[in-house]
Structure formats: C-alpha cells, structure tokens
Amino acid sequence: MKKIIFSTILTCLLVFNVNAQDEGTSDDDYNKWQARVRVLAVAPAAYFYDDVNGVEVDMSSSFAPAIDITYFFSKYMSAELMVTNSTHDVETQSGDDLGNVSILSPTFSLQYHFYLNKFKPYIGAGLNYNVYHGEDSGDLDAIDYKNDVGYLLQGGIDYSLSDKWFLNLDFKKVFLKTEMTTNNDASNATEMNVDPIMIGFGVGMKF
C-alpha cells in the first residue's frame, strides 16, 4: 500500500511538472535554496496496534521548535529536510502513568510548488524517522520505544514578504508505528501507532 501511494503521488507530481513546462510557465526566476524556522504543534493520535486487554493509550500534544532546509531541482520541484524534537506525556486512559518520552523526528519530503502572486502553495510526500530518547517510565520500572521509519503526506503555503523573506504555514500527517516494551520484558512488547499531525508556522529565507 505504501509503494502504491508514493508511486501515485510521484507520478502526479511529474505530470504536473511536465505540463507546467509545456505551457511555458517554467523559468529560471527562482532561488535554489531556502531555509525556515518554525514552531510546531505536534499532536500524536496514539493507540495500541495489538489488542492489550482493552487498554487504551494516550500521548499528549506538545509544541516544539523545528528547522528545515529546502533545495529546488526546478521552479516547481523541491526536496525538504526538517528536524524537530518534541516531548510527550504518556498514560493509559484509565489514568496509569507511563511517564514521558522525547522524540527526535527528521523528515524528508519531495514537494511540488504552485505560484499565485505572493502565495506559493505546495504539496508533498516523504519519509519520517523517529528516534525515542529520554524515556521516563512513570509508574513502571522501565519503558523503552523502538526507533522506526514512517511515511508522511504534506501540504503548506509560503507567503512572500520580500525577495528574500517569507512566512510559512505547514501541515504534515505522519503514519508510523513503534514497539513499546515495559519493565525490560520482551514478552511485554506491544506495537503502538503514533501517527502524529504536525502543524507549523514560521519564517523563512531564500538564498
């Protein structure tokens, strides 16, 4: 399913790019590099993938800083690398404290850009890698999360303030799982979907 989604999206982006060039809208009037600083709202939609005797898990939302750099292959096609680190409280819905965990999240996405005067909307798709660290086990003796790769869909818009500076609003939906192990007992390992939404607002610079 993941391969089908990515193949479809990339095919559409390539078709849009070819059409735009055929219509004469492509030119060399663009910056090859840009960088942004954002504030992200990270809202996981966590749940146990496996049946855990009716236990439901909750992972809190949080705000986190993020930086990204984007390279343009053409006026319409680009690649973005973003890094953020967020911290989340974890508990069951019955109130059991599972402590907290920090998540370092590099994301890589391919994007297609549109140009509407000062507005530059874009769509994209890519990969996410989550690194879990700084675990606090809460009421448990120990808790551990397995690092894993997910995939993402993205949409956003840049608004030009000048030839160099712009504002940015960005939305990412990430689809990923992890394996939670409690009390250092491999028999307690449970697959958990994290599936966060990341909404960012920030400022960027072209160069």
Side-chain angles (χ1 to χ4, degrees):
M1 179 61 72
K2 294 180 182 179
K3 291 182 179 179
I4 294 174
I5 292 174
F6 278 116
S7 297
T8 302
I9 292 173
L10 291 177
T11 300
C12 290
L13 295 182
L14 290 173
V15 170
F16 289 153
N17 191 44
V18 170
N19 287 342
Q21 292 177 351
D22 289 343
E23 292 170 4
T25 58
S26 178
D27 54 50
D28 296 326
D29 186 20
Y30 68 96
N31 297 84
K32 285 187 175 292
W33 293 93
Q34 66 183 35
R36 304 183 187 95
V37 177
R38 297 189 185 108
V39 175
L40 288 188
V42 184
Y47 64 91
F48 287 127
Y49 184 76
D50 300 326
D51 183 19
V52 191
N53 299 321
V55 177
E56 297 184 15
V57 68
D58 181 70
M59 185 176 284
S60 69
S61 301
S62 71
F63 291 95
I67 58 173
D68 77 69
I69 188 164
T70 302
Y71 176 76
F72 284 78
F73 303 105
S74 71
K75 185 174 180 178
Y76 301 93
M77 298 291 297
S78 69
E80 177 196 274
L81 177 64
M82 185 193 80
V83 179
T84 187
N85 188 77
S86 57
T87 301
H88 306 271
D89 296 324
V90 188
E91 62 181 20
T92 67
Q93 290 193 347
S94 59
D96 298 316
D97 183 13
L98 303 183
N100 58 66
V101 62
S102 295
I103 308 175
L104 177 66
S105 298
T107 68
F108 175 80
S109 56
L110 295 176
Q111 303 170 334
Y112 183 85
H113 297 260
F114 306 86
Y115 290 82
L116 304 171
N117 295 320
K118 291 187 176 183
F119 292 93
K120 185 173 66 176
Y122 57 88
I123 56 175
L127 297 174
N128 165 271
Y129 185 70
N130 270 13
V131 179
Y132 299 87
H133 62 99
E135 295 94 333
D136 179 336
S137 57
D139 293 335
L140 303 175
D141 293 332
I143 193 167
D144 182 68
Y145 299 86
K146 181 181 178 181
N147 300 341
D148 208 350
V149 177
Y151 63 99
L152 65 92
L153 300 175
Q154 178 185 25
I157 188 167
D158 294 327
Y159 176 77
S160 294
L161 299 174
S162 67
D163 290 340
K164 185 174 183 180
W165 296 96
F166 61 94
L167 298 177
N168 172 257
L169 179 64
D170 184 82
F171 174 90
K172 291 182 177 73
K173 175 60 180 180
V174 185
F175 303 89
L176 61 89
K177 295 179 183 177
T178 184
E179 188 175 81
M180 175 193 289
T181 302
T182 58
N183 299 329
N184 296 316
D185 185 351
S187 64
N188 290 333
T190 303
E191 280 196 343
M192 183 177 75
N193 285 55
V194 181
D195 295 353
I197 291 173
M198 298 180 178
I199 301 175
F201 179 77
V203 62
M205 180 181 68
K206 306 170 190 175
F207 55 97

